[in-house]
Amino acid sequence: LNMTGVLVATKDKKDKKACSIPKSCEGRMIQTKFLDQGQFFRYAKQSKFVFLPQVYDASPRVSTQALSLDVPVLMNYHIKGGWKYVNEKTGEFFHDMSDFRDSLRTLLDKVEMDEYTPRTWVMNNYGDQISGSRLKDWIEENFADRVLLPPGTKLLYPSGA
């Protein structure tokens, strides 16, 4: 497909030993150690998409970060979490190597035709006001017997992660 890219967190912490990649990718892919957010954001903003091949990730933060930067995602269908962010506005799934190329081609065609609107979708469905209101409602529905919110509370801001 004549593409170049960045494989994030595929090198050890000393930036010496890297995961193996196919010979056809050598010289076309940059492999990095774990990146801080600013470095990741700079790479993502220059990208046509962010590739999320992992399965064992309960909530890949990079997916919503990429979408918020208006970058669509190509995500493994079998991922444990994060799948709720992928739809016709935000990217594509692949199941395994049998449909990977087709999913990638679909994604690249839609990128070329400017069919994705990931940032708009995120802003319309998430963010402090929307998610905070949902969290408040969930707390009231499930923990009203243990949590008393001050009168007039309209939303809650989660913290920690």
Side-chain angles (χ1 to χ4, degrees):
L1 294 170
N2 200 29
M3 295 174 58
T4 58
V6 178
L7 297 171
V8 176
T10 58
K11 279 186 154 180
D12 65 7
K13 290 180 182 182
K14 294 179 181 175
D15 204 19
K16 301 280 185 210
K17 186 177 180 186
C19 295
S20 63
I21 59 174
K23 291 270 187 221
S24 60
C25 294
E26 289 178 7
R28 304 188 66 73
M29 303 300 274
I30 298 169
Q31 290 185 272
T32 73
K33 61 184 180 178
F34 184 82
L35 299 176
D36 66 41
Q37 272 190 335
Q39 291 172 303
F40 172 74
F41 292 167
R42 283 189 289 281
Y43 278 125
K45 286 186 214 177
Q46 297 175 52
S47 303
K48 290 185 180 183
F49 65 95
V50 168
F51 178 48
L52 300 164
Q54 66 267 35
V55 174
Y56 299 107
D57 197 334
S59 184
R61 187 180 304 169
V62 297
S63 61
T64 53
Q65 290 171 334
L67 298 175
S68 295
L69 293 168
D70 216 24
V71 178
V73 297
L74 178 59
M75 184 181 283
N76 189 323
Y77 177 83
H78 302 287
I79 195 165
K80 297 297 180 199
W83 38 262
K84 68 181 182 178
Y85 301 115
V86 180
N87 58 55
E88 70 282 348
K89 303 283 187 197
T90 62
E92 301 295 326
F93 284 114
F94 71 97
H95 292 83
D96 53 37
M97 291 310 293
S98 69
D99 70 344
F100 175 77
R101 282 186 182 266
D102 289 340
S103 297
L104 177 57
R105 283 193 180 103
T106 298
L107 182 131
L108 292 173
D109 288 346
K110 289 181 177 182
V111 165
E112 280 301 310
M113 296 170 58
D114 203 26
E115 289 187 24
Y116 294 117
T117 55
R119 181 171 172 72
T120 300
W121 184 85
V122 167
M123 298 305 289
N124 288 338
N125 291 280
Y126 292 94
D128 288 343
Q129 297 299 316
I130 295 168
S131 295
S133 177
R134 283 185 196 147
L135 177 59
K136 179 196 77 73
D137 292 347
W138 184 79
I139 294 290
E140 288 177 335
E141 289 169 19
N142 294 283
F143 301 100
D145 61 328
R146 291 177 266 172
V147 175
L148 179 62
L149 297 174
T153 301
K154 293 185 179 5
L155 53 97
L156 299 173
Y157 293 104
S159 64

